[in-house]
Amino acid sequence: FRAYITEGYDTLLELYPDYIVHIDTLRQLTDKALRLVDSSASDVENIEAIGEGWTGDEALAIAIYCTAKYFDNFEKAVTAAVNHKGDSDSTGAITGNILGSVVGYEAIPQHFKENLELHVDILHMADDLCRGEKTKFSDVDLSTVKDARMRRYIEDLREEVPRELSVHKVELCKRFVFAMASFCFVLIGIPLGI
């Protein structure tokens, strides 16, 4: 996992050489998070040493800490990510997305999936992304769809040209970490032109 982080930063430096100071700041914070993985302190103490997650770079660093520390245990990773005094819903979401992209749907504990709002819709969207295909939603009459989020998704499906995204899960993880790092730069006001 750590090698993928390094590769992501190398890519950021290639793409955005004018923002080396900002990339270096983010890298220092995520390096700190990775060093804390081996600390004997509690997760709460380690996360507080990183920050509270109210800024994009802190939220990503906390998610990277939780993902690296509990790479083989989705539940422990997400639990650590949401049990601190900061922006825990964001750090939990980022952790879940990074680790979920690696371990896959089946490795996510069932109790996280039960009673999940729009569960079936989320699965269809994920399948669309992974296969680059349109699903049964392509032919839905939009006037019968009450949920605004679902209507937007269906509209987007109709406009998008299916893409081939048959990549390995690890590649998806690297892309997600890169996307999150780019998102952090946008949050701190760096125009990336993406």
Side-chain angles (χ1 to χ4, degrees):
F1 179 73
R2 293 172 193 231
Y4 306 137
I5 302 291
T6 300
E7 185 179 325
Y9 282 118
D10 292 344
T11 303
L12 284 172
L13 289 169
E14 283 178 37
L15 293 172
Y16 309 110
D18 295 340
Y19 301 105
I20 193 165
V21 173
H22 301 288
I23 294 168
D24 190 49
T25 300
L26 180 61
R27 184 178 222 155
Q28 288 175 20
L29 192 56
T30 55
D31 285 348
K32 179 180 186 177
L34 290 170
R35 282 191 306 276
L36 288 169
V37 166
D38 298 320
S39 167
S40 61
S42 71
D43 289 331
V44 172
E45 292 170 310
N46 287 333
I47 289 170
E48 286 178 0
I50 297 166
E52 294 185 353
W54 296 111
T55 61
D57 54 348
E58 286 180 2
L60 178 61
I62 290 168
I64 288 172
Y65 164 82
C66 295
T67 299
K69 178 132 187 170
Y70 299 108
F71 196 76
D72 295 324
N73 191 321
F74 184 89
E75 185 166 5
K76 283 185 179 180
V78 172
T79 299
V82 299
N83 282 303
H84 62 89
K85 66 179 182 177
D87 190 8
S88 57
D89 60 330
S90 295
T91 56
I94 297 167
T95 301
N97 277 285
I98 293 172
L99 196 50
S101 70
V102 176
V103 300
Y105 179 79
E106 296 304 321
I108 298 171
Q110 186 61 34
H111 63 272
F112 282 131
K113 299 181 272 189
E114 291 170 356
N115 301 315
L116 179 64
E117 184 179 0
L118 298 172
H119 184 220
V120 172
D121 301 328
I122 292 168
L123 290 176
H124 283 292
M125 287 183 234
D127 288 343
D128 291 349
L129 176 65
C130 287
R131 286 190 232 137
E133 297 175 356
K134 294 184 180 183
T135 66
K136 65 179 184 176
F137 296 117
S138 301
D139 299 322
V140 170
D141 177 5
L142 284 177
S143 66
T144 65
V145 179
K146 295 178 183 174
D147 184 85
R149 291 171 292 193
M150 198 62 199
R151 258 195 320 278
R152 279 194 307 273
Y153 170 68
I154 294 168
E155 288 169 350
D156 288 347
L157 253 184
R158 291 178 179 173
E159 293 174 15
E160 290 286 322
V161 175
R163 316 177 277 271
E164 286 300 319
L165 290 177
S166 55
V167 294
H168 190 271
K169 288 187 285 186
V170 171
E171 184 64 26
L172 286 175
C173 178
K174 289 191 290 187
R175 289 180 185 186
F176 182 79
V177 170
F178 171 74
M180 287 309 304
S182 297
F183 177 68
C184 291
F185 293 143
V186 171
L187 287 178
I188 60 175
I190 300 173
L192 296 181
I194 296 177

